Amino acid sequence: MSLSNSKVTEREPLPEKDAVWTKLVRIKYQDAHGQPRTWESAERTTRPQGSDIDGVGIVAILEKPTGPEIILQKQFRPPVEKVTIEVPAGLIDPSETAEECAIRELKEETGYVGVPIATSPIMFNGKSIPPPFLNLPRNYPGFCNTNLRMVHLTVDMSLPENQNPKPALEEDEFIEVFVVPLSKLWEECKRLEAEGCAIDARVGTLAEGVELAKKFRL
């Protein structure tokens, strides 16, 4: 398997009857002056009934004597026609908590077994792009209603199950897993973008947060 083999071969309009994951809607609303307006939006159709989120993003940190390392992934994403740099993530199953989803998805996509230590509020990816990353694939409240919680997991590298992790990918999943020292995430994002990769907004904003914490000694 080589992600370099991946490419878009055709683009065409998608009839609504053929859409599996999403739908387009026209929203009528009232603006701040009380004037009626309309908005075009995309919506996911996969959120389980009773769930307040579509899925989770996973900040998985390997505990190593040399310092913490974050688990990242490479995947080809057809909408941007690039290999993207992402954190592990996945859609939530019915009656599943965000933490349970994160543990399951991390094991399936990377082979690592992690323990949840923190969970974010519900998040909608914003429009802003942290510099210098110009190729951030993103969804945002101005375009769609997709949301998630970021779940932080710690991975104990002394445990037997984390010595030789093996992903359990589905037939249509092609994921390369790698790790980066958390302190060098910003530099690694810049290097990978220079190689032609797209940086997912969750990775880019996390890298920016690490740099801000360094600068202001938080």
Side-chain angles (χ1 to χ4, degrees):
M1 183 194 77
S2 174
L3 293 179
S4 62
N5 292 330
S6 303
K7 62 181 179 179
V8 172
T9 58
E10 185 178 357
R11 286 180 181 268
E12 60 183 10
L14 176 65
E16 183 176 351
K17 65 180 179 64
D18 295 332
V20 177
W21 305 100
T22 59
K23 64 179 179 180
L24 295 177
V25 297
R26 178 182 293 111
I27 301 172
K28 296 181 179 180
Y29 73 103
Q30 179 177 296
D31 70 14
H33 296 291
Q35 298 299 313
R37 296 184 181 276
T38 60
W39 198 279
E40 294 180 2
S41 173
E43 294 184 358
R44 276 195 179 274
T45 58
T46 56
R47 185 181 301 175
Q49 186 174 4
S51 176
D52 58 359
I53 56 174
D54 294 298
V56 300
I58 304 165
V59 179
I61 303 298
L62 305 183
E63 300 177 14
K64 291 189 174 182
T66 53
E69 297 183 357
I70 185 170
I71 299 175
L72 297 178
Q73 299 180 164
K74 292 182 179 181
Q75 288 195 76
F76 178 77
R77 294 300 193 182
V80 296
E81 298 188 46
K82 289 179 179 288
V83 172
T84 64
I85 307 302
E86 308 172 0
V87 292
L91 298 178
I92 197 165
D93 286 344
S95 302
E96 192 175 41
T97 67
E99 294 78 13
E100 290 168 342
C101 180
I103 293 170
R104 174 180 58 77
E105 287 288 349
L106 183 68
K107 183 71 167 63
E108 291 175 358
E109 293 189 355
T110 73
Y112 286 103
V113 176
V115 176
I117 55 174
T119 301
S120 78
I122 296 176
M123 299 170 61
F124 298 84
N125 287 2
K127 286 186 179 179
S128 62
I129 306 176
F133 312 125
L134 303 179
N135 294 321
L136 289 172
R138 61 208 185 275
N139 49 62
Y140 47 79
F143 172 67
C144 69
N145 69 340
T146 299
N147 65 8
L148 54 79
R149 292 185 189 272
M150 295 297 290
V151 182
H152 299 191
L153 282 78
T154 182
V155 178
D156 187 344
M157 295 303 293
S158 69
L159 297 178
E161 55 265 37
N162 290 323
Q163 299 304 307
N164 187 28
K166 296 185 183 301
L169 300 177
E170 297 180 11
E171 184 181 3
D172 60 350
E173 286 185 311
F174 305 95
I175 298 173
E176 291 183 9
V177 178
F178 65 108
V179 299
V180 174
L182 194 57
S183 63
K184 297 181 179 179
L185 183 56
W186 179 264
E187 290 83 358
E188 189 67 9
C189 284
K190 290 193 291 185
R191 185 187 69 81
L192 288 164
E193 185 187 44
E195 290 183 354
C197 294
I199 310 300
D200 184 273
R202 289 163 291 189
V203 176
T205 51
L206 179 59
E208 186 177 31
V210 171
E211 292 305 299
L212 288 172
K214 290 179 187 178
K215 179 177 180 178
F216 294 102
R217 300 180 180 178
L218 301 180

